[in-house]
Amino acid sequence: MATFELYRRSAIGMCLTESLDEMVSSGTLSPELAIQVLMQFDKSMTDALETQVKSKVTIKGHLHTYRFCDNVWTFILQDATFKSDECHEQVKRVKIVACDSNLLTQ
Amino acid sequence: MATNVSSVYIQVVDDVISKVRDDFINYGAGETALNELQAIWEMKMMQSGAISGTIDRSSTQKNAAPITPVHDLNVPYEAPVEEYETPTAEMLFPPTPLQTPIQTPLPGLDSGMYNIPTGPSDYAPSPITDLRNSMDLKGGRPSPYTQPLSPWINQRPPLGVDVNVAYVEGREEADRGPPHQATTQDFFVNSSGKRKRNDYGHGNSGGYIPQQDGSGDMTIEFSLPQNVVNQVQKSSSIRHDQGTATSKMLFNKEGKPAPVLHQLDGTHDEYDDLFQLQGVATENYNTPGEHVELRAPTPAVGTPKPGKDEAGEDDEPPLNEDDDDDDDELDDDQEEEEPNTQHLVLALFDKVTRTKSRWKCTLKNGIMHLNNRDILFNKATGEFDF
């Protein structure tokens, strides 16, 4: 089953990537094994987001840039507002990267 | 939902570790490496603030359970020492990995379904910005000009040009046709002010008056050939004895205006020179009297402007410094708005529609990093105006 490497760009994903990089550089780990770990991370992260998270967010803002390439939408918003039960954030500039959810089920 | 982001992350970590455990064992890397990976991973997350300081493992004791008895059997301090020592030792390497992951060193990563059209810049804003900053700092604007000036300055003192500023002024104009020299002189003065003093100190023959205020004496005169002629005549009459000597020296001086002019205060050399009659007092190091005499004839010249313009242009060389400044400002502005990493949302989309300039989209299972804070969502709806 193919995985979305999307979440590797998150904070948790970057920490994992850096840790794996250190270990591969020091020779403690083989690159192939590191790839396996990352792929497992993709799956685990997707499952966790699917099952453990139950929050809804609304996003409003000015669309500065939109791009759809290789089934990936990239939006750049300006003066955006994110609202949910837990949070109310406002940012001057935010990038949204979204992969096609239908591809996962294929 | 009260599901804490940290707890979700910790569950993900444990899930990943447990699932790859078999791979580690089968591959021969061993559980030690696996534990090390987990320790490093969690440490990095704590440092970056992704998870809170206290790791609540109550719901995932199954992974920890088999490990603890092992520790109990062995020397209790060995395991934690290993776990903590190696990470700390390896923490020395972080600077390099920060950049490498961006380049996806592991093969096959790019073959994933997720293509990032936005480019690699998103991965590591910090190193890139750091590079930018370092490169910008190396612009080195004023420094390069000082060095080339030095050889000229050194040559001047032996000439004993002090003979008279007036002489020098007059002669210089006559001898010097191109204004370039004048402009260059300004540079010399400014940058090598200190050296001039020293040189003068050595070659002080009484007439040497290190000028602290204006270096444009010579420059001004260049621009005014007519006046200079008069002045030369005057100066020659005044300094008959030194005339010949000074003339020679003046010739030599043409290329070395620096020693005469110690300008400590400003860029308006020409002004200083013009007003030198009274400005002599500013020269603390030398007998102002002589200077006054020397300068007497020069004040007659009232048209330093042409020379000044040229000098002014030279003072503002086309270094294009502003170009970099603008870039820096833009980068800094962006960095200020987006501390650490830029605000980012990673998610899956269900639908994206547009009506005229109104965009709507529905997202799922996303991680948001906003204002240095991580937020997870199951569903999201967006409305944007283009």
Side-chain angles (χ1 to χ4, degrees), chain A residues 1-92:
Chain A
M1 163 180 155
T3 61
F4 278 131
E5 300 177 12
L6 169 75
Y7 301 115
R8 297 185 194 180
R9 291 171 67 175
S10 64
I12 180 174
M14 293 305 297
C15 291
L16 176 61
T17 307
E18 290 170 10
S19 309
L20 288 172
D21 239 17
E22 286 178 11
M23 294 181 70
V24 171
S25 301
S26 67
T28 316
L29 211 58
S30 67
E32 294 82 9
L33 198 49
I35 297 174
Q36 292 295 324
V37 174
L38 282 171
M39 290 182 65
Q40 181 56 52
F41 166 76
D42 294 335
K43 294 180 199 166
S44 299
M45 193 73 225
T46 306
D47 291 340
L49 285 174
E50 184 75 40
T51 59
Q52 297 183 25
V53 181
K54 291 281 185 269
S55 68
K56 195 168 180 315
V57 176
T58 59
I59 312 168
K60 279 189 167 56
H62 165 68
L63 184 63
H64 179 269
T65 307
Y66 61 86
R67 180 186 299 126
F68 183 62
C69 182
D70 294 333
N71 285 319
V72 177
W73 273 105
T74 304
F75 302 109
I76 296 181
L77 305 188
Q78 284 181 338
D79 299 326
T81 306
F82 293 78
K83 287 185 193 170
S84 81
D85 297 336
E86 309 158 353
C87 73
H88 183 108
E89 305 282 345
Q90 283 188 330
V91 293
K92 285 206 165 157

Side-chain angles (χ1 to χ4, degrees), chain B residues 30-279:
Chain B
E31 288 224 13
T32 310
L34 183 66
N35 296 334
E36 188 179 332
L37 172 65
Q38 183 173 5
I40 299 174
W41 189 6
E42 288 173 356
M43 184 182 306
K44 283 187 186 287
M45 285 173 60
M46 276 194 273
Q47 287 178 353
S48 70
I51 58 179
S52 58
T54 58
I55 300 177
D56 182 12
R57 285 237 144 84
S58 59
S59 59
T60 58
Q61 276 298 333
K62 45 193 171 181
N63 292 331
I67 298 175
T68 46
V70 174
H71 292 322
D72 293 338
L73 295 176
N74 299 328
V75 177
Y77 289 96
E78 284 182 357
V81 170
E82 290 175 358
E83 290 178 1
Y84 296 126
E85 275 185 359
T86 48
T88 56
E90 296 197 6
M91 289 306 291
L92 297 176
F93 296 99
T96 49
L98 282 177
Q99 297 177 3
T100 50
I102 299 161
Q103 301 167 0
T104 61
L106 302 175
L109 291 180
D110 291 335
S111 62
M113 298 174 63
Y114 174 53
N115 291 330
I116 303 168
T118 54
S121 62
D122 297 333
Y123 285 105
S126 49
I128 291 177
T129 55
D130 289 344
L131 289 175
R132 283 189 206 147
N133 292 334
S134 61
M135 288 170 64
D136 292 333
L137 290 174
K138 291 177 185 174
R141 295 107 191 226
S143 54
Y145 286 88
T146 59
Q147 295 177 0
L149 300 177
S150 56
W152 288 47
I153 299 167
N154 293 334
Q155 296 176 7
R156 291 186 102 210
L159 298 179
V161 179
D162 90 358
V163 172
N164 294 317
V165 178
Y167 250 118
V168 174
E169 295 173 355
R171 288 294 178 179
E172 292 173 351
E173 284 187 354
D175 295 332
R176 300 188 195 185
H180 298 294
Q181 293 175 348
T183 57
T184 54
Q185 287 177 4
D186 292 339
F187 283 116
F188 284 89
V189 177
N190 294 332
S191 59
S192 61
K194 292 183 181 178
R195 289 194 181 182
K196 293 177 185 177
R197 287 182 199 167
N198 295 334
D199 294 337
Y200 288 121
H202 296 303
N204 254 345
S205 61
Y208 241 157
I209 301 175
Q211 184 174 355
Q212 297 176 1
D213 49 13
S215 60
D217 293 343
M218 304 171 72
T219 59
I220 295 174
E221 296 166 356
F222 296 131
S223 60
L224 305 172
Q226 296 177 357
N227 295 328
V228 174
V229 173
N230 297 332
Q231 293 175 0
V232 171
Q233 293 175 356
K234 291 182 185 177
S235 61
S236 62
S237 64
I238 294 174
R239 310 255 174 182
H240 202 62
D241 298 339
Q242 301 170 344
T244 55
T246 55
S247 63
K248 292 179 185 175
M249 300 174 75
L250 289 174
F251 283 98
N252 294 334
K253 263 196 175 180
E254 291 176 1
K256 306 162 187 178
V260 175
L261 308 171
H262 274 296
Q263 187 169 2
L264 300 180
D265 52 348
T267 57
H268 302 291
D269 299 344
E270 295 175 348
Y271 283 116
D272 293 339
D273 296 334
L274 290 183
F275 302 131
Q276 268 310 328
L277 303 181
Q278 301 146 4

Side-chain angles (χ1 to χ4, degrees), chain B residues 6 9 14 20 23 89 176 192 228 250 284 301 335 349:
Chain B
S6 292
Y9 281 171
D14 293 335
V20 299
D23 289 335
R176 300 188 195 185
S192 61
V228 174
L250 289 174
N284 302 328
V301 178
E335 289 177 6
F349 68 87

